[in-house]
C-alpha cells in the first residue's frame, strides 16, 4: 500500500478503492468437501457438499487469493516480485496499480477510461463496491497535497476512539 501511495503521489495518479463483499465465499471449491448440515435444516441420513468456499474453512482465504490472482493476471496485471500484494497494469501510456489487503483493493491510475473498464470487468466477476473519494483506507485517513506531490496517512480518528 505504501509503495502504491508513494507512486501515486509522485506520478499524480488518481486513487480509487474497491471493497469485495464476502470475498471468501466467492470462490469455487476445487475439491470435494462435505460438512454437517446446519442446525435447523437437518435431513436424516444426509450431509452437505460445499460448492463454494465457506468462511471459516481452512481453504477459504487461499482460494480467494488464487481466485483474485487469476482474475488480475487474466486482465493483464503483472504481480510484483517484491510485494505479491501489488499488481501493475501497463499498456502504452496507461498505468493502473492495485494494492490488495485481503478483500480491499486500493487502485492508483492515470487513465479514467481504463480504470472504468477494469471496474466493469471486476464487478462482473466479484460482488464489490467502489469508492471514488479516498479519504480513508483500512481505518487510516489519507490527506493529499497535489501541489507538493505528497500523501500523508494519519490515524487520528482511531486514536480518538481509543480515548473516548
Amino acid at each position: 500500500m505504501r509503495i502504491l501511495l508513494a507512486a501515486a503521489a509522485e506520478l499524480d495518479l488518481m486513487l480509487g478503492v474497491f471493497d469485495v463483499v464476502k470475498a471468501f465465499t466467492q470462490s469455487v471449491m476445487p475439491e470435494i468437501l462435505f460438512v454437517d448440515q446446519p442446525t435447523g435444516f437437518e435431513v436424516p441420513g444426509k450431509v452437505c457438499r460445499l460448492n463454494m468456499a465457506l468462511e471459516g474453512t481452512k481453504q477459504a482465504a487461499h482460494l480467494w487469493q488464487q481466485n483474485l490472482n487469476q482474475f488480475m493476471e487474466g486482465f493483464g496485471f503483472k504481480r510484483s516480485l517484491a510485494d505479491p500484494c501489488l499488481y501493475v497494469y501497463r499498456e502504452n501510456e496507461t498505468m493502473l496499480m492495485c494494492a490488495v489487503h485481503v478483500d480491499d483493493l486500493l487502485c492508483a491510475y492515470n487513465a479514467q477510461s481504463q480504470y472504468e473498464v477494469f471496474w466493469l470487468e471486476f464487478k462482473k466477476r466479484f460482488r464489490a463496491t467502489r469508492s471514488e473519494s479516498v479519504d480513508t483506507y483500512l481505518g487510516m485517513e489519507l490527506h493529499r497535497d497535489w501541489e507538493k506531490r505528497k500523501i500523508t496517512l494519519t490515524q487520528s480518528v482511531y486514536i480518538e476512539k481509543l480515548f473516548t
Side-chain angles (χ1 to χ4, degrees):
M1 174 191 71
R2 289 183 177 145
I3 294 168
L4 182 137
L5 289 173
E10 181 64 28
L11 301 172
D12 287 330
L13 302 176
M14 295 170 280
L15 296 172
V17 174
F18 297 175
D19 181 31
V20 182
V21 179
K22 295 285 189 184
F24 288 1
T25 63
Q26 295 193 44
S27 300
V28 176
M29 291 295 289
E31 68 268 359
I32 296 174
L33 183 66
F34 293 98
V35 295
D36 292 332
Q37 297 175 44
T39 305
F41 296 94
E42 298 94 346
V43 176
K46 302 281 184 177
V47 294
C48 294
R49 177 182 176 186
L50 289 181
N51 294 324
M52 302 295 284
L54 185 64
E55 282 189 40
T57 59
K58 293 180 201 177
Q59 301 91 333
H62 178 69
L63 290 172
W64 161 243
Q65 187 276 330
Q66 279 185 324
N67 196 7
L68 179 64
N69 188 57
Q70 182 181 32
F71 171 81
M72 297 295 275
E73 289 180 348
F75 190 83
F77 280 89
K78 301 287 185 227
R79 199 172 194 179
S80 169
L81 296 175
D83 184 350
C85 296
L86 180 65
Y87 292 87
V88 179
Y89 173 89
R90 294 188 86 119
E91 184 179 300
N92 302 325
E93 298 297 316
T94 302
M95 183 166 60
L96 174 59
M97 298 187 303
C98 292
V100 179
H101 181 81
V102 187
D103 61 353
D104 295 303
L105 281 77
L106 177 64
C107 301
Y109 56 95
N110 66 354
Q112 183 72 34
S113 59
Q114 186 60 38
Y115 178 68
E116 291 299 327
V117 168
F118 174 61
W119 166 244
L120 291 173
E121 288 302 313
F122 193 86
K123 74 177 189 175
K124 282 181 190 175
R125 178 63 188 87
F126 304 108
R127 289 184 317 276
T129 59
R130 170 173 88 161
S131 175
E132 293 309 322
S133 64
V134 184
D135 299 334
T136 61
Y137 181 68
L138 301 177
M140 295 176 280
E141 298 91 45
L142 281 73
H143 305 280
R144 185 161 199 171
D145 186 336
W146 288 91
E147 197 173 290
K148 293 180 182 177
R149 291 186 171 185
K150 189 173 165 182
I151 298 175
T152 307
L153 301 174
T154 64
Q155 290 187 299
S156 55
V157 173
Y158 174 72
I159 292 168
E160 287 175 19
K161 284 183 182 178
L162 289 175
F163 291 106
T164 58

